[in-house]
Amino acid sequence: MDKHAGDAGKWMMARLDTLPLSRFHYKMLVVNGFAWAFDAFDVGLVTFVVTALVSSWQLSAEQVGILLSSGMAGMIIGAFLSGPLADRFGRKAVFQWTMLIFSLFSLLCAVAWNFWSLVVFRFFVGLGLGGETPVVTALLGEFVPAGDRGKVQGLLNCFWAIGWLAAAAVAFFLIPAVGWRWAFVAGALPALYVWMIRLHVPESPRWLILRGRLEEARTIVAGIEQIVGRTAKIPPVSAADIAKVIEPKASSFADLFAGIYLKRTIMLWLLWFLAMFGYYGLFSWMPTLLVKAGHSMVKSFEYVFFLQCAYLPNQIISAYLMDKFGRKWPLVINLLFAGVATVIFGLALGSNLSMGQVLLLGLLTSFFVSGIWGITYTYTPELYPTGIRVTGTSWAATCSRFGSMLAPLIVGYSLDSLGVGGVYGIIAIAFIAAGMVVWGLGVETRGKQL
């Protein structure tokens, strides 16, 4: 990039970081957020559909495991591939294609003719699902001003709870009335959402600048300025603002393991693996563990529903705290307190406490766990430059998928020998270890330009 082009690119990036937060940014939050909710809807939906399938197709426990694992295997591959593709071909293009893949294959799940056809279709649903989430996170962050990125990115994760609750509603009203196939038809609705993305989500100007497509970037930035200017006063871009900008440079995936990025990559891979191990270890076996502890099946499902409702408050609190106190220390605090709360919760399940007392402790545990993900999804893209931002995010997410696959297996194998309290001790160690990793290797990114 020559000096003139470089100066123009730096001005545009400075402009993105100095614009006041406006309805444009909130519209981007909502559009990306509903894509996030669709992801959660699918993840939640399949857990409810499995129950109907066990009855309809007389599936064995091994077949249920294969079905659930097929989607997770697709997520691993999707997360691994989507980052390099988004850094090479653009965020918007990969966003659209991953949405389309997981929507269309969800529709095919509705017409699956036997167990193995459903396994194959669920693999491709996972491929699209795993590929989309890292792209959504990075794309939104590249539009939001530096001083407000924590708040906006943090609020994105609130849409996850909305998707889960929608899945529960579909499972409650739709599956008993018309069967499990129509639940998958509902899961295919995001295919229509691709047109919303095409109309309302521009390509990232930062990525366009890096690729030398300055005129396209200039048109998008000018359009954003026009929208923001309708409701807010736009400050001029000063020389000091431009001086803060780091000029984008071409990068390759090898840069993830070189220089300052090596320590960040190690930290993020461990964080995502351990935190997702803790999340899935905590929630995937929750109904079974509650029944094992003496609570009825009906009560256990109600309990899990309340825990999902409890997911929202700390998402909102963490979103606002990040721009005031940073990313690193709120993340460490949530991880450590999640570990402590998990230990107490595990001990409570094996005690004579009432259901109300157990519920309160579970809500407290869910509160701290929810804060982990609101911050992590904001923090991760901020640690890499534009050229490898989505690759770094998606490969960290790939590590999380291994954690989510391993956790239910370890819980299942350890339950008889260690009991409920021992199993939750293992989960707590994962959260606390993740907190120590971030404490030792993490750097602060609050207010810094991407």
Side-chain angles (χ1 to χ4, degrees):
M1 189 180 296
D2 60 39
K3 184 179 186 302
H4 176 72
D7 290 344
K10 291 178 72 174
W11 185 93
M12 285 186 278
M13 288 187 286
R15 166 49 74 214
L16 291 172
D17 276 322
T18 54
L19 285 172
L21 206 60
S22 72
R23 69 177 186 179
F24 167 80
H25 301 101
Y26 287 114
K27 184 175 81 169
M28 287 288 291
L29 169 63
V30 171
V31 173
N32 285 273
F34 272 105
W36 202 259
F38 285 134
D39 292 353
F41 178 81
D42 182 85
V43 172
L45 187 65
V46 73
T47 63
F48 296 110
V49 167
V50 162
T51 304
L53 279 171
V54 169
S55 174
S56 177
W57 284 2
Q58 289 77 51
L59 298 185
S60 66
E62 290 78 10
Q63 286 177 309
V64 170
I66 291 171
L67 180 60
L68 294 176
S69 296
S70 66
M72 197 62 66
M75 287 183 189
I76 289 174
I77 297 174
F80 183 79
L81 294 177
S82 68
L85 289 173
D87 285 331
R88 174 68 179 84
F89 297 107
R91 282 75 162 117
K92 182 177 178 177
V94 177
F95 187 3
Q96 292 178 104
W97 278 106
T98 52
M99 284 282 289
L100 197 59
I101 288 170
F102 103 73
S103 300
L104 293 182
F105 278 96
S106 181
L107 186 61
L108 287 174
C109 287
V111 296
W113 53 91
N114 59 24
F115 169 73
W116 287 109
S117 65
L118 186 58
V119 167
V120 172
F121 295 150
R122 285 301 304 171
F123 170 84
F124 283 101
V125 170
L127 188 74
L129 185 63
E132 182 205 327
T133 47
V135 178
V136 169
T137 306
L139 176 63
L140 179 60
E142 290 182 341
F143 282 99
V144 181
D148 299 296
R149 206 161 48 234
K151 176 174 63 177
V152 176
Q153 289 278 76
L155 290 174
L156 175 67
N157 216 41
C158 293
F159 286 85
W160 188 266
I162 294 172
W164 256 96
L165 295 174
V170 166
F172 185 81
F173 293 107
L174 194 65
I175 294 177
V178 294
W180 60 268
R181 293 184 185 275
W182 283 98
F184 281 126
V185 172
L189 291 177
L192 303 175
Y193 201 68
V194 171
W195 299 106
M196 291 288 291
I197 298 169
R198 290 178 66 87
L199 290 172
H200 297 287
V201 177
E203 182 54 86
S204 165
R206 297 178 189 272
W207 180 81
L208 290 170
I209 292 166
L210 177 65
R211 307 302 294 185
R213 294 159 60 176
L214 295 182
E215 285 305 314
E216 293 175 69
R218 188 176 288 111
T219 300
I220 292 171
V221 172
I224 296 171
E225 274 189 308
Q226 187 177 20
I227 295 171
V228 174
R230 293 171 188 164
T231 56
K233 183 178 180 180
I234 300 178
V237 176
S238 67
D241 295 325
I242 295 174
K244 295 177 183 177
V245 173
I246 301 172
E247 185 174 334
K249 297 178 181 179
S251 307
S252 70
F253 72 87
D255 293 326
L256 294 172
F257 312 102
I260 62 172
Y261 301 115
L262 174 60
K263 185 171 75 169
R264 298 180 185 190
T265 297
I266 293 171
M267 184 270 292
L268 288 172
W269 286 19
L270 289 171
L271 165 63
W272 279 76
F273 175 83
L274 291 167
M276 194 62 82
F277 179 98
Y279 176 86
Y280 270 85
L282 185 65
F283 289 110
S284 65
W285 277 82
M286 182 75 75
T288 303
L289 293 178
L290 286 166
V291 172
K292 188 176 180 66
H295 304 288
S296 71
M297 181 62 74
V298 173
K299 288 292 184 183
S300 71
F301 281 122
E302 290 178 2
Y303 190 89
V304 174
F305 176 82
F306 279 117
L307 291 190
Q308 289 300 324
C309 293
Y311 222 68
L312 283 171
N314 202 18
Q315 294 285 342
I316 298 171
I317 293 170
S318 295
Y320 283 87
L321 289 179
M322 276 191 280
D323 287 328
K324 187 173 181 61
F325 298 105
R327 284 62 157 147
K328 178 180 176 178
W329 292 111
L331 178 55
V332 170
I333 291 169
N334 275 288
L335 284 163
L336 295 180
F337 275 93
V340 173
T342 299
V343 170
I344 298 172
F345 179 51
L347 294 173
L349 284 177
S351 69
N352 294 321
L353 293 179
S354 68
M355 187 62 181
Q357 292 170 317
V358 173
L359 174 61
L360 182 61
L361 290 171
L363 292 175
L364 185 64
T365 305
S366 183
F367 176 85
F368 289 116
V369 172
S370 69
I372 294 169
W373 292 109
I375 300 170
T376 297
Y377 277 109
T378 303
Y379 187 41
T380 302
E382 295 178 336
L383 290 169
Y384 292 114
T386 301
I388 54 172
R389 180 165 297 122
V390 191
T391 300
T393 302
S394 69
W395 286 10
T398 302
C399 293
S400 77
R401 302 304 178 187
F402 286 107
S404 62
M405 289 180 68
L406 189 61
L409 294 174
I410 290 181
V411 171
Y413 281 112
S414 305
L415 193 56
D416 289 336
S417 58
L418 298 179
V420 175
V423 163
Y424 274 79
I426 294 174
I427 296 168
I429 290 171
F431 284 133
I432 293 171
M436 299 305 292
V437 167
V438 177
W439 189 344
L441 300 178
V443 297
E444 186 52 69
T445 58
R446 178 174 68 95
K448 294 184 178 180
Q449 274 67 28
L450 290 176

